Amino acid sequence: MEHRKTIFSYMQEICCIFSVSILILMGIAYHSGEKVKEMSSMFRLGNQGLSLTTMLEFLAMAVIITFLRYFLFSEAWLKQASVIPRTILMIVCIVFITAVFATVFAWFPINEWRAWIGFAISFGICFSGGTILMIVKNNLENRKMKEGLEKLKQEMQEGKQSE
């Protein structure tokens, strides 16, 4: 069941994407920041934390990804497309956006293959985790809807019997 979207829905998703991104970056900075601070603008403070500039860049990326997601998965666009083509298009767009941000903001050396392998691995882990959470959430919502439908049927049966 699709819920009506408000500005708060967008803000909630932006904050969720942003906070998870920052938590992951903080973990990387803590463990590897000193090793990569000369190579990456994201970790220029080493293991001391993240700069305001880096956090704003990731906030901008969260905004773009959120609006892209709402656009690609809205019923107004790609009405005939199933979830799989939309998801593939979303992944391609996120990788493209990340490549643009990585280039513009010097997040990591773009001609360093190990940096791209690291990005691919972290993106794959995050995407898989998000997919698992989405599946669990959908299953819980479906179960709740099914239970509500069963309860409604039971109430209707009881209502007919009392007449």
Side-chain angles (χ1 to χ4, degrees), residues 1 13 18 61 63 67 80 84 96 134:
M1 182 169 82
E13 189 160 335
F18 175 68
M61 193 162 171
V63 169
F67 283 106
Q80 310 307 333
I84 293 173
F96 176 75
M134 183 183 73

Side-chain angles (χ1 to χ4, degrees), residues 38-147:
E38 300 301 321
M39 294 175 32
S40 172
S41 69
M42 285 190 289
F43 305 112
R44 68 176 145 253
L45 299 178
N47 62 4
Q48 297 301 309
L50 303 171
S51 70
L52 292 175
T53 305
T54 298
M55 288 191 275
L56 286 173
E57 292 163 2
F58 273 83
L59 180 59
M61 193 162 171
V63 169
I64 292 168
I65 289 171
T66 298
F67 283 106
L68 182 64
R69 181 186 166 279
Y70 278 100
F71 175 71
L72 290 176
F73 288 90
S74 72
E75 292 302 316
W77 196 76
L78 290 175
K79 287 183 182 185
Q80 310 307 333
S82 69
V83 173
I84 293 173
R86 292 176 190 220
T87 303
I88 291 170
L89 183 57
M90 181 76 181
I91 292 168
V92 168
C93 289
I94 290 172
V95 169
F96 176 75
I97 291 166
T98 302
V100 169
F101 272 59
T103 303
V104 171
F105 300 119
W107 282 354
F108 52 85
I110 56 171
N111 24 345
E112 176 63 48
W113 64 270
R114 289 178 291 196
W116 286 103
I117 296 291
F119 165 71
I121 290 170
S122 62
F123 181 80
I125 290 169
C126 292
F127 180 77
S128 299
T131 301
I132 290 168
L133 287 175
M134 183 183 73
I135 290 169
V136 168
K137 179 184 172 202
N138 284 340
N139 287 343
L140 290 173
E141 286 178 355
N142 288 342
R143 185 179 312 143
K144 189 175 178 181
M145 294 291 281
K146 186 177 178 181
E147 289 170 0

